[in-house]
């Protein structure tokens, strides 16, 4: 039986098909739903993404890959797209059974013989070029430069030596870092496969090395001259302050003595205490629009 699971649907709400292969782009090393042949899957279980274009894209990919009559179960929190899944599946020509449990909306259907509008939804959610940059719906700040990165770019000096962009996204900060000829190597680390694939297209530089990985734990990097990061502070759609703090600890481990961290953070996040604990006294380099940029030397 060929089946897949997308994300981490709660086991007490959705039965995962036996032997299901993980296909979420947010799980390093997972397979790709885009690569599944049409009408090849026997079942799909999906923790549906929150963004409309991203969610319709994932649902459409699943319907394309399923055999006619094969089951699809998709769920999401009601306030993060779950209330829309049933209507979206119906628009694809599916007959949907819905139920609500534990603040989640669970939708069950089977692939109709001829789904409607699947290819159009896939086209809307595919990678695209926006000006100079490749991007894709669903990745962080996919359709605009986020204000934190903009502020960090305005403060960032020319860097030199070996460094890493932790949580590189589509490669905006990395492009700026590599504008300095004194940079000898830059590792780009990103947990979202789609963002990293965009970064590969946006950062065409032989000094760049790309890693689909959780920046908190991998890859093994040490003795670096610099780290740049705009650390995330949301996971699974919920604020998680521990996530950004883990990025700071990871940066400290990766740097050599005398190496420098450049980090931007939302003003309300409690990063100063940990920066002071790890690095001594961090230097505030910019403060604007609800964000702060710090330089911290190990």
């Amino acid at each position: 039986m060929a089946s897949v699971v997308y994300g981490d649907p709660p086991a007490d709400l959705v039965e995962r098909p036996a032997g299901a292969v993980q296909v979420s782009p947010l799980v390093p090393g997972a397979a790709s739903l885009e690569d599944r042949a049409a009408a090849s899957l026997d079942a799909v279980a999906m923790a549906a993404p929150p963004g409309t274009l991203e969610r319709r894209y994932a649902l459409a990919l699943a319907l394309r890959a399923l055999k006619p009559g094969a089951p699809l179960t998709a769920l999401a929190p009601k306030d993060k797209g779950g209330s829309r899944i049933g209507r979206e599946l119906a628009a694809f020509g599916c007959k949907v059974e819905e139920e609500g449990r534990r603040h989640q909306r669970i939708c069950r259907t089977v692939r109709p013989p001829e789904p409607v509008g699947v290819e159009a939804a896939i086209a809307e959610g595919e990678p695209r070029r926006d000006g100079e940059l490749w991007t894709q719906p669903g990745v962080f700040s996919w359709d605009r430069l986020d204000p934190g990165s903009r502020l960090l770019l305005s403060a960032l000096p020319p860097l030199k030596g070996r460094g890493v962009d932790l949580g590189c996204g589509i490669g905006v900060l990395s492009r700026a870092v590599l504008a300095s000829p004194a940079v000898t190597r830059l590792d780009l680390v990103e947990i979202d496969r789609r963002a990293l694939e965009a970064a590969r297209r946006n950062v065409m530089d032989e000094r760049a090395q790309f890693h689909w990985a959780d920046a908190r734990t991998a890859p093994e990097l040490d003795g670096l001259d610099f780290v740049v990061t705009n650390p995330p502070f949301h996971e699974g759609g919920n604020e998680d302050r521990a996530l950004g703090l883990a990025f700071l600890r990871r940066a400290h481990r990766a740097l050599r003595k005398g190496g420098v961290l450049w980090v931007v953070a939302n003003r309300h996040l409690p990063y100063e205490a940990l920066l002071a604990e790890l690095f001594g006294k961090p230097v505030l380099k910019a403060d604007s629009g609800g964000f702060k940029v710090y330089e911290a030397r190990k």
Side-chain angles (χ1 to χ4, degrees), residues 149-279:
S149 292
R150 181 180 292 109
L151 186 63
L152 180 52
L153 287 170
S154 72
L156 198 64
L159 299 171
K160 60 182 179 180
R162 295 173 53 239
V164 63
D165 183 350
L166 291 179
C168 68
I170 64 171
V172 174
L173 293 177
S174 294
R175 284 164 57 98
V177 170
L178 288 167
S180 169
V183 171
T184 57
R185 170 173 167 145
L186 181 67
D187 288 270
L188 288 75
V189 185
E190 173 57 48
I191 200 170
D192 190 330
R193 170 180 53 78
R194 302 162 302 178
L196 191 68
E197 289 175 353
R200 289 181 186 276
R201 304 172 85 169
N202 294 329
V203 184
M204 304 291 287
D205 193 301
E206 62 183 12
R207 295 170 293 169
Q209 301 293 320
F210 301 87
H211 308 272
W212 182 19
D214 185 335
R216 294 170 290 184
T217 57
E220 289 297 326
L221 295 168
D222 56 36
L224 300 183
D225 299 298
F226 64 87
V227 174
V228 295
T229 185
N230 180 1
F233 58 97
H234 287 87
E235 189 164 32
N238 300 308
E239 183 172 312
D240 182 359
R241 298 186 177 192
L243 186 57
L245 297 175
F247 268 61
L248 299 184
R249 294 187 181 95
R250 181 72 171 91
H252 183 263
R253 294 196 306 271
L255 287 166
R256 64 169 174 80
K257 184 68 174 178
V260 63
L261 165 67
W262 282 87
V263 58
V264 62
N266 193 295
R267 188 180 288 141
H268 79 276
L269 295 173
Y271 288 174
E272 289 90 343
L274 183 60
L275 284 171
E277 175 187 332
L278 295 174
F279 293 92

Side-chain angles (χ1 to χ4, degrees), residues 3-196:
S3 59
V4 301
V5 60
Y6 186 109
D8 189 23
D12 60 334
L13 298 182
V14 175
E15 183 178 353
R16 299 188 186 189
V21 174
Q22 178 63 249
V23 293
S24 170
L26 300 178
V27 178
S32 171
L33 187 54
E34 288 88 342
D35 293 339
R36 294 287 163 166
S40 65
L41 293 179
D42 297 294
V44 175
M46 177 181 294
T52 300
L53 291 178
E54 176 190 15
R55 185 177 56 254
R56 292 183 68 250
Y57 175 73
L59 292 170
L61 287 172
L63 289 170
R64 184 177 70 178
L66 282 166
K67 298 174 182 177
L72 165 63
T73 302
L75 82 165
K78 295 176 183 178
D79 60 348
K80 293 182 172 63
S83 61
R84 300 180 182 180
I85 296 174
R87 295 194 300 272
E88 290 166 346
L89 287 171
F92 288 132
C94 299
K95 295 182 179 180
V96 185
E97 296 180 357
E98 295 189 56
E99 66 170 316
R101 291 171 59 194
R102 283 180 41 201
H103 307 292
Q104 301 262 346
R105 197 69 184 168
I106 306 166
C107 297
R108 295 180 174 87
T109 188
V110 298
R111 182 197 189 274
E114 297 292 338
V116 178
V118 164
E119 295 303 325
I122 292 173
E124 287 181 336
E126 285 182 328
R128 63 183 69 180
R129 189 161 188 164
D130 184 4
E132 295 184 358
L133 298 175
W134 282 92
T135 185
Q136 185 173 359
V139 307
F140 172 67
S141 197
W142 72 271
D143 58 349
R144 66 196 183 284
L145 178 62
D146 68 285
S149 292
R150 181 180 292 109
L151 186 63
L152 180 52
L153 287 170
S154 72
L156 198 64
L159 299 171
K160 60 182 179 180
R162 295 173 53 239
V164 63
D165 183 350
L166 291 179
C168 68
I170 64 171
V172 174
L173 293 177
S174 294
R175 284 164 57 98
V177 170
L178 288 167
S180 169
V183 171
T184 57
R185 170 173 167 145
L186 181 67
D187 288 270
L188 288 75
V189 185
E190 173 57 48
I191 200 170
D192 190 330
R193 170 180 53 78
R194 302 162 302 178
L196 191 68

